[in-house]
Amino acid sequence: MTTVARPRAGAGIATVLGLVAVITATIVGWNAGWLDAVVNPPPIVRAFLVGLAVAAGVMLLTRSVARMSASGEAMGGEPDVPGLIRGVRLAFIGVAAFAAAAGWALAHPLPLIIAAVIAGIDVIETSFLLLVVGRGR
């Protein structure tokens, strides 16, 4: 019972975090002062954020490929569906990191909004998929 409860709890927590990300991005987007502070920090901070986001994107995509590759070979030839879903989640969050890097590099809010939407919605949607797959096992 404990092994089933943990994935469900993790998926529930991830769903809540995805909702919090979307709501936070919405609130920040409505406030021009906050939006400008996030989009256009001092140049050295922007450069650091761009580098950090690109590094995170590369790491996430690398981990995504590794996880999807391992999940396809797991369980004696049967694909590990939860592992594949988590791999897809990592890929989308990596894409969101690259979008955020573009937003800071261009000092424009649209790529940051896109990054928040990609990350938030993907986490919510893959969490629901994990809950459905977990229920079937």
Side-chain angles (χ1 to χ4, degrees):
M1 176 114 181
T2 313
T3 57
V4 174
R6 285 186 185 152
R8 286 187 187 158
I13 290 168
T15 302
V16 170
L17 290 175
L19 287 169
V20 167
V22 171
I23 291 168
T24 302
T26 302
I27 291 169
V28 169
W30 281 341
N31 186 321
W34 289 356
L35 184 62
D36 188 52
V38 170
V39 173
N40 200 12
I44 190 76
V45 174
R46 269 190 23 224
F48 175 75
L49 290 171
V50 169
L52 188 65
V54 168
V58 169
M59 182 205 59
L60 287 164
L61 287 178
T62 302
R63 288 183 61 195
S64 169
V65 169
R67 176 166 278 193
M68 286 191 279
S69 180
S71 296
E73 300 168 0
M75 299 172 63
E78 279 187 42
D80 175 21
V81 177
L84 290 171
I85 292 170
R86 289 183 183 99
V88 169
R89 175 189 286 173
L90 290 173
F92 274 101
I93 294 174
V95 170
F98 289 128
W104 283 309
L106 300 171
H108 196 277
L110 185 59
L112 287 168
I113 293 167
I114 292 169
V117 168
I118 290 170
I121 298 299
D122 179 66
V123 168
I124 294 167
E125 139 184 87
T126 55
S127 296
F128 279 127
L129 283 172
L130 287 170
L131 286 170
V132 169
V133 169
R135 186 167 269 310
R137 290 182 172 225

